[in-house]
Amino acid sequence: MDAKQIKQLEPMLNKYLRRFSGCFGRIEPLESLKSYVTGQLSDLQRKSIEPMADAAGLPPRNLQQFLSLHKWDQMHMRDTVEQIVANEHPHPCSIGIFDETGHSKKGDKTPGVQRQWCGRTGKTDNCVVTVHLNYTAGDFHCLLDGELFLPERWSQDPDRCKAAGIPEDMTYRPKWQIAFELWECAVANGICFEWLGADEAYGKVPEFLFKLDDRGQRYVFEVPAIFTGWLVKPELLHKEHHPHRRGRKRRFPRLKAKSPSASSVEQLRLHSPMLRKIPWEKFYIKDTTKGPVVWEAKAARFYLKRDGLPSRGHWLIIARNVENPNDVKYFVSNAPAGVPLEVLLHVGFSRWHVERCFEDEKSELGLSHFEVRNYTSLRRHLIITAVSYLFLAKVHQLWRGEKSGVDGLPGSHRIFGSGSIVMADRKNRRKIFRQDGGNYYLDTSTNRSFSPLPYTEKTQAVA
């Protein structure tokens, strides 16, 4: 960044922040917003209210009251962020990623604070946990929204919640329910997610998967090794064949007698003859200082357990690290037949985008530097941080421009942006899912185009 570009930032920021003027009834809160965002974008070591107010020449009370007491519509600000992203950053392979992050805190007054797992420190710690939704479109990414995870212990203590300003209708919700609410809000504001992704903490909840599937949302979620389902859809009985049978009336449809029970994906990988027949295919994932990272993967039709019965057909994707075969990942997807395996792997391995957003917001914008004792202040801080990060993402995309790929690998101009996953064999072949005797597997014998997904470029071979 040169001196000319730095001088351009202030008018660009002023123009950008005026887009949020509808959130305020008076000019003073808008000026406070500028001071808060400017403080987050500055080079201050600590980006809590007091140092940011000192840098702006304001009494700290001004920014404290801006977060906690001033009347302005933070939800409208959140909606504006999402509408800007929806209108100005659409993408034919946009990905939404759910994840959570911890913020280490001292004391017991911060809303939602308690000893719980903190991903930031990698241990059980006194912290606040927030759930977030990321938006990724090629080489552009940002956090759309974030919400406090309220632990059960807090939800069972109404006096403590009241002291922290937590709304009466806000109770304990599992993190996946918070994630679903964030997704519903983003979709209502016009954001189109071609895919959703998440780690196994969210993928392990079948109810979450079914809610998304019922709404037509495609996803590729990592699941734990104990996640269960069937590779072959078990047969069902739809009526009673022995009406004279005594005892409680049975429900239908139901599994036929002696039908195999659902098995864990790890057991299927180790013992299923069907999966063993499917060959591993190698895929380039990324470059590191130690060289390229290559994983091999295979996929098969998979039926989840829903109310004791098999669901409609999904895909089970198994990937393992070539350098360390014990490093195995399992993914479940509701993608339609015809989507290339490299597309599913790209979505499954896209979680680094949300992790990068957390790293940037914590190190550059002070996401975890909040020192508040009421819920409204915390919620507003999360939303304003999303406003600041969206400005940085837009400036970065504007000034960076397009860069060509390196060494023949997909660059930022391609449909998936930088970091696309490509086949690591020497044959430039596409793959389709082919049916044989009711079972689906990866077939490399044809070179058809893929209509279910706007995947316009041929798979690239990597030596």
Side-chain angles (χ1 to χ4, degrees), residues 109-170:
K109 302 299 182 183
T110 307
V113 68
Q114 72 170 26
R115 288 193 61 80
Q116 55 191 322
W117 177 259
C118 179
R120 181 70 172 178
T121 59
K123 61 181 181 180
T124 300
D125 204 351
N126 196 59
C127 67
V128 172
V129 174
T130 52
V131 179
H132 296 262
L133 173 57
N134 160 274
Y135 177 82
T136 295
D139 60 353
F140 173 89
H141 56 219
C142 67
L143 292 182
L144 297 173
D145 196 7
E147 178 60 283
L148 171 70
F149 168 69
L150 189 68
E152 287 186 89
R153 188 181 304 172
W154 272 77
S155 187
Q156 296 166 358
D157 191 342
D159 292 335
R160 192 181 186 189
C161 290
K162 184 177 180 180
I166 295 174
E168 293 182 0
D169 59 348
M170 183 175 177

Side-chain angles (χ1 to χ4, degrees), residues 129-363:
V129 174
T130 52
V131 179
H132 296 262
L133 173 57
N134 160 274
Y135 177 82
T136 295
D139 60 353
F140 173 89
H141 56 219
C142 67
L143 292 182
L144 297 173
D145 196 7
E147 178 60 283
L148 171 70
F149 168 69
L150 189 68
E152 287 186 89
R153 188 181 304 172
W154 272 77
S155 187
Q156 296 166 358
D157 191 342
D159 292 335
R160 192 181 186 189
C161 290
K162 184 177 180 180
I166 295 174
E168 293 182 0
D169 59 348
M170 183 175 177
T171 59
Y172 164 77
R173 294 162 295 163
K175 294 169 184 175
W176 71 266
Q177 287 187 4
I178 299 175
F180 185 75
E181 292 169 5
L182 297 179
W183 172 82
E184 282 190 312
C185 180
V187 171
N189 282 318
I191 298 221
C192 176
F193 298 103
E194 289 295 326
W195 299 93
L196 290 180
D199 64 14
E200 61 183 45
Y202 298 86
K204 70 180 181 181
V205 185
E207 184 180 354
F208 188 23
L209 304 183
F210 296 142
K211 284 174 97 50
L212 293 172
D213 190 45
D214 291 343
R215 286 158 177 77
Q217 175 63 63
R218 293 187 294 186
Y219 57 78
V220 181
F221 280 9
E222 188 175 353
V223 296
I226 60 173
F227 193 86
T228 59
W230 295 273
L231 288 177
V232 178
K233 189 174 184 178
E235 296 185 46
L236 301 179
L237 288 176
H238 295 276
K239 63 180 181 179
E240 182 66 76
H241 292 282
H242 303 285
H244 61 278
R245 179 187 177 95
R246 296 182 178 181
R248 186 175 58 182
K249 188 176 180 179
R250 298 191 295 181
R251 291 192 310 168
F252 291 92
R254 62 186 295 118
L255 295 177
K256 279 189 174 181
K258 299 183 180 180
S259 294
S261 58
S263 302
S264 71
V265 293
E266 183 177 42
Q267 290 300 313
L268 292 173
R269 175 180 67 89
L270 295 175
H271 305 296
S272 169
M274 181 187 303
L275 274 179
R276 285 202 297 267
K277 291 180 181 178
I278 301 175
W280 292 97
E281 295 287 347
K282 291 183 173 62
F283 294 88
Y284 162 86
I285 303 297
K286 62 181 179 179
D287 277 321
T288 66
T289 56
K290 297 181 179 180
V293 175
V294 176
W295 285 59
E296 52 188 6
K298 61 175 68 178
R301 207 61 168 162
F302 188 63
Y303 302 90
L304 282 63
K305 190 174 184 180
R306 185 171 190 178
D307 298 327
L309 302 176
S311 68
R312 76 175 187 88
H314 286 60
W315 296 106
L316 171 63
I317 303 104
I318 304 175
R320 68 183 183 187
N321 195 322
V322 172
E323 295 295 327
N324 180 14
N326 293 324
D327 186 7
V328 180
K329 292 182 181 292
Y330 305 92
F331 301 93
V332 166
S333 175
N334 63 344
V339 178
L341 180 55
E342 47 264 50
V343 174
L344 303 182
L345 288 176
H346 173 83
V347 178
F349 279 91
S350 290
R351 284 190 56 249
W352 69 268
H353 287 280
V354 69
E355 293 169 352
R356 178 59 185 268
C357 286
F358 287 150
E359 180 183 353
D360 290 343
E361 289 202 359
K362 289 186 176 185
S363 61

